[in-house]
Amino acid sequence: MGRRQLWDQDEVLASAMRLFRHRGYLGASLRDIEEATGLHPGSLYRTFRNKDGLFHAALDAYNERVVRHRVRVHLLEPADPLAGIRSFFTSAIETGAEPDPGCLLTNTAVESFTLPEAAPGVHHGLAAIEGGFADALTRARNRGDAPPDLDIATTAAHLLALYQGLLVLVRAGRPRTALHSVTDGALASIGTLRNPRKQDDP
Amino acid sequence: MGRRQLWDQDEVLASAMRLFRHRGYLGASLRDIEEATGLHPGSLYRTFRNKDGLFHAALDAYNERVVRHRVRVHLLEPADPLAGIRSFFTSAIETGAEPDPGCLLTNTAVESFTLPEAAPGVHHGLAAIEGGFADALTRARNRGDAPPDLDIATTAAHLLALYQGLLVLVRAGRPRTALHSVTDGALASIGTLRNPRKQDDP
DNA sequence: TATTTTTGTGAGCAATCGTTCAACTACGGA
DNA sequence: TCCGTAGTTGAACGATTGCTCACAAAAATA
């Protein structure tokens, strides 16, 4: 063996993630990263190869911990799926004491031209959210809370777009009341997209 | 007087705008800007004070030319307002030959923590889009294409969020078919948000 | 204990960053 | 024609960037 690693990789990734969420990839310098993680460049480059490597690890950790956790808590587990979708949206608006940390998927998608190799990670996270919506919508339909001919795939994609847009508006500093009404609109729009299996009133 | 300015300010702002849309504020170095605009640093700093000044001028130009033009062509002028809303969305997806240049408002909102002084410009542009939606919705309602008790303000905010989300997904490289179905969802969701003036079927 | 192996430390590298400025060029008015 | 003014040019500045590497420290093996 040899000397043992003095730092916890999960903690380091958590603080790096927080930094990238706030400042973006380009906005976070290695001096910032050193300060945030407490790691010196040597250890950093030994473990993560370079800044890109650390970012990818942070993005994976974001998908694995933050996204997955939020999807599970708000979209997969709640007994009332529509209430879960609502809380999924509202929890993105009410970020608590510290200012909005931003969604690493949204930020990275926008920075994509300077970070093309991060695309798979972004896709993965977005797909997880979309899948969560689809699950919640399916359960809502089975419970009778949504029309039986609801187009689940399209509605899930619709909610994903609306959610990403909401995050942009949060970052833009829009008043919270306006953002909450977007959430109301998201819920109200569920059920408007039907499968054209049987045309009732054209 | 003195020597005449050899370059056209509109052209310079257009190329700077294009660069910032692609690469973002931090991603566009002054060497990139020199190459894109053809200006040397001296002229740049004489006219725009610094990089921030150029960015603000480019953001203002974006609001003034791109946003305003798009709002007018798709939302204010068309005889069929709902078809206009549809084309407003689809034209953001089909960006033509060159890859998606991105929306400077979306990108800047996401970069906001490194550019807090750009917030007013972002607000201004977003308000212009939202206002365009509100105008189109009002005309649609007057034409009988939307319910008479449509909640216009909330629906406009809803469409704005959906539009910004669509732009994020475009940047994320989502397949165009999925994006077009988001557009369908946007149109279908119009009319789901009613003013609670008269409760018909609770 | 001596040796090998792994990790931590941080000074310092070349490259690039945003920015400045002194020399130079072109125009209008005297 | 000469001068004052406004604009152009591009070399170069100090600061910061991402990153390297020689060395010190600690654990496992002998």
Side-chain angles (χ1 to χ4, degrees):
Chain A
M1 271 293 172
R3 186 171 178 172
R4 271 173 285 184
Q5 198 166 280
L6 294 177
W7 45 278
D8 179 45
Q9 182 142 335
D10 285 350
E11 286 178 17
V12 163
L13 282 180
S15 48
M17 190 196 304
R18 183 156 6 117
L19 186 67
F20 284 130
R21 288 176 74 179
H22 272 102
R23 295 234 241 278
Y25 175 79
L26 291 172
S29 79
L30 268 155
R31 268 63 174 182
D32 295 333
I33 294 170
E34 290 181 48
E35 193 186 7
T37 61
L39 282 193
H40 296 197
S43 304
L44 249 162
Y45 278 79
R46 162 181 297 282
T47 310
F48 299 105
R49 222 179 101 90
N50 52 24
K51 190 185 173 183
D52 276 39
L54 174 64
F55 183 81
H56 283 115
L59 181 56
D60 288 346
Y62 183 74
N63 279 336
E64 199 64 35
R65 297 182 213 163
V66 179
V67 174
R68 223 181 350 182
H69 178 263
R70 281 177 54 72
V71 166
R72 181 161 32 80
V73 167
H74 293 101
L75 300 180
L76 302 183
E77 288 178 348
D80 181 345
L82 294 188
I85 291 177
R86 177 176 290 278
S87 69
F88 188 78
F89 276 80
T90 53
S91 63
I93 300 170
E94 306 296 342
T95 53
E98 62 178 325
D100 155 56
C103 170
L104 202 48
L105 300 175
T106 318
N107 304 5
T108 308
V110 168
E111 269 192 309
S112 62
F113 277 70
T114 43
L115 266 174
E117 67 277 17
V122 173
H123 273 102
H124 188 250
L126 293 179
I129 297 173
E130 195 174 11
F133 281 136
D135 185 276
L137 290 172
T138 306
R139 286 168 42 240
R141 189 183 52 183
N142 294 344
R143 275 165 51 104
D145 292 348
D149 58 349
L150 178 71
D151 184 340
I152 286 182
T154 302
T155 305
H158 181 84
L159 288 175
L160 175 65
L162 205 43
Y163 179 65
Q164 290 300 316
L166 188 81
L167 294 171
V168 171
L169 297 185
V170 169
R171 278 239 141 184
R174 289 240 131 186
R176 301 214 164 160
T177 54
L179 301 177
H180 279 292
S181 80
V182 170
T183 303
D184 295 336
L187 271 292
S189 71
I190 293 174
T192 57
L193 289 163
R194 314 296 183 82
N195 272 317
R197 202 169 295 171
K198 293 177 183 174
Q199 300 169 347
D200 292 303
D201 49 353
Chain B
M1 271 293 171
R3 188 171 180 173
R4 271 171 286 184
Q5 197 167 283
L6 294 178
W7 44 278
D8 179 44
Q9 181 142 336
D10 285 351
E11 286 178 19
V12 163
L13 282 180
S15 48
M17 191 196 304
R18 183 157 5 117
L19 185 66
F20 283 130
R21 287 176 75 179
H22 272 102
R23 296 234 240 279
Y25 175 78
L26 291 173
S29 79
L30 268 153
R31 268 66 173 180
D32 296 332
I33 295 171
E34 290 181 48
E35 193 186 8
T37 61
L39 281 193
H40 297 201
S43 305
L44 250 161
Y45 277 78
R46 160 179 293 282
T47 310
F48 300 105
R49 222 179 100 91
N50 53 25
K51 189 185 175 184
D52 276 38
L54 174 64
F55 183 82
H56 284 114
L59 182 57
D60 287 347
Y62 183 74
N63 280 335
E64 200 64 36
R65 297 183 212 162
V66 179
V67 174
R68 224 185 339 188
H69 177 264
R70 281 177 54 71
V71 166
R72 180 161 32 80
V73 168
H74 293 101
L75 300 179
L76 303 183
E77 288 178 349
D80 182 345
L82 293 188
I85 291 177
R86 176 175 291 278
S87 68
F88 187 79
F89 275 82
T90 53
S91 63
I93 300 170
E94 305 297 343
T95 53
E98 62 178 325
D100 155 55
C103 170
L104 201 49
L105 301 174
T106 317
N107 304 5
T108 308
V110 167
E111 270 191 308
S112 63
F113 276 69
T114 43
L115 266 174
E117 67 277 16
V122 173
H123 274 100
H124 188 250
L126 294 178
I129 298 173
E130 194 174 12
F133 282 134
D135 185 276
L137 290 171
T138 305
R139 285 167 43 241
R141 188 183 55 183
N142 293 344
R143 277 166 50 106
D145 291 348
D149 59 348
L150 177 70
D151 184 340
I152 287 182
T154 302
T155 306
H158 181 84
L159 288 175
L160 175 65
L162 205 43
Y163 179 64
Q164 290 300 316
L166 189 81
L167 293 171
V168 171
L169 296 185
V170 169
R171 278 238 141 184
R174 291 238 129 187
R176 301 216 165 159
T177 55
L179 300 178
H180 279 293
S181 80
V182 170
T183 303
D184 295 335
L187 270 293
S189 72
I190 294 175
T192 56
L193 288 163
R194 314 296 183 83
N195 272 316
R197 202 170 297 171
K198 293 177 183 175
Q199 299 169 347
D200 292 303
D201 47 354

